[in-house]
Amino acid sequence: MSSAFKFSAQGAEVYVPDELALPKALTRVTHLGVGAHQDDLEFMAFAPILECFGAEDKWFAGVTCTNGAGSARDSIYASYTDAQMMVVRRGEQRKAALIGEYAAQFQLNHPSSLAKDPNDELLVEDLLRILEATRPEAVYTHNLADKHDTHVAVALKLITAIRQLPKAARPKSLTGCEVWRDLDWMEDADKVVMAVDGHENLGDALMGVFDSQICGGKRYDLATRGRRKAHATYFESHATDKSQNLIFGMDMTPLIEDDKLSPDDLIKSYMKNFQDEVLTRLKGLQ
């Protein structure tokens, strides 16, 4: 772990699994995942993790924005205090970064309440520093239709941070990923379709690291694996499966290309496209 990076929250860190010195570890980053909680990246951003795994010219880096306090817990973790859970979850996130061969893993250690505060700028400042240090080509975060407040708040703060960069220095793409609401409802033309075939063992290992969450009362691993397989089967009704595992994303790139476009208007456009498609089919069959 390194303390050579400036953070706004006490206890924040950047972990470099292969121990390459900063800033070399950060300048190699091509794909950046920004999640609210420990384990979000491994469940929602497996596509870029897999794309970079074992590649010499592509490197994934992760950002976890909150500190892990207040998480649901059961089994051996039922008696753990928030402080103990924070230690456990931070360690699990480091293990995932090691298994996935990340270029780096940032843990910003902010309370969830700060992430959800629209007037707080500390998280935005941290994200801006990371973007400036890594200059990723592609960024992945939570989608705007997620039903977890902290997830949506992190996505909005990331958009704010990217918009503070000069346009020439911004990522080429921003994709919103599935966690607490899948994106099967979106029109196919609006989806970012990410095949994650092969290395299912890697996907299982990355999810399985988060024992405090899975044994804590939620089988996120089984649910996520099932979602990926269901997407692959139900994606096309009149064709055989072209993939065994699919992850859907929401294209949020327009928000970092046009600073005047609001997140509200972008999500409204996707919802309208879905509504129009359903109503057109109904009308044509009556």
Side-chain angles (χ1 to χ4, degrees), residues 27-46:
T27 55
R28 61 184 171 174
V29 173
T30 55
H31 296 62
L32 183 71
V34 179
H37 309 97
Q38 289 89 354
D39 78 9
D40 282 340
L41 296 171
E42 291 67 31
F43 289 88
M44 76 179 188
F46 183 51

Side-chain angles (χ1 to χ4, degrees), residues 225-235 244:
R225 190 186 307 141
R227 173 185 280 170
R228 294 170 184 172
K229 291 190 176 296
H231 282 347
T233 295
Y234 288 108
F235 182 53
Q244 297 301 308

Side-chain angles (χ1 to χ4, degrees), residues 21-76:
L22 294 175
K24 285 186 177 181
L26 303 184
T27 55
R28 61 184 171 174
V29 173
T30 55
H31 296 62
L32 183 71
V34 179
H37 309 97
Q38 289 89 354
D39 78 9
D40 282 340
L41 296 171
E42 291 67 31
F43 289 88
M44 76 179 188
F46 183 51
I49 294 171
L50 182 59
E51 182 178 350
C52 296
F53 187 75
E56 295 182 359
D57 58 342
K58 297 178 181 180
W59 286 87
F60 178 85
V63 181
T64 299
C65 296
T66 66
N67 57 23
S71 58
R73 62 202 73 165
D74 200 352
S75 186
I76 66 171

Side-chain angles (χ1 to χ4, degrees), residues 144-145 185 250 262-272:
L144 297 175
W185 61 270
M250 176 182 291
S262 73
D264 306 57
D265 287 339
L266 180 66
I267 193 66
K268 283 178 183 177
S269 71
Y270 288 142
M271 293 169 69
K272 184 178 186 303

Side-chain angles (χ1 to χ4, degrees), residues 2 5 14-32 58-62 101-106 130 133-135:
S2 172
F5 205 89
V14 55
Y15 167 59
V16 179
D18 64 0
E19 300 183 345
L20 186 67
L22 294 175
K24 285 186 177 181
L26 303 184
T27 55
R28 61 184 171 174
V29 173
T30 55
H31 296 62
L32 183 71
K58 297 178 181 180
W59 286 87
F60 178 85
E101 299 182 359
Y102 299 179
Q105 173 66 51
F106 295 88
I130 292 169
T134 57
R135 299 289 294 272

Side-chain angles (χ1 to χ4, degrees), residues 172-193:
K172 295 178 182 177
S173 65
L174 177 63
T175 303
C177 303
E178 303 168 303
V179 181
W180 285 108
R181 179 171 283 128
D182 70 39
L183 295 172
D184 180 69
W185 61 270
M186 292 184 70
E187 269 283 83
D188 287 348
D190 292 337
K191 290 185 181 93
V192 178
V193 180

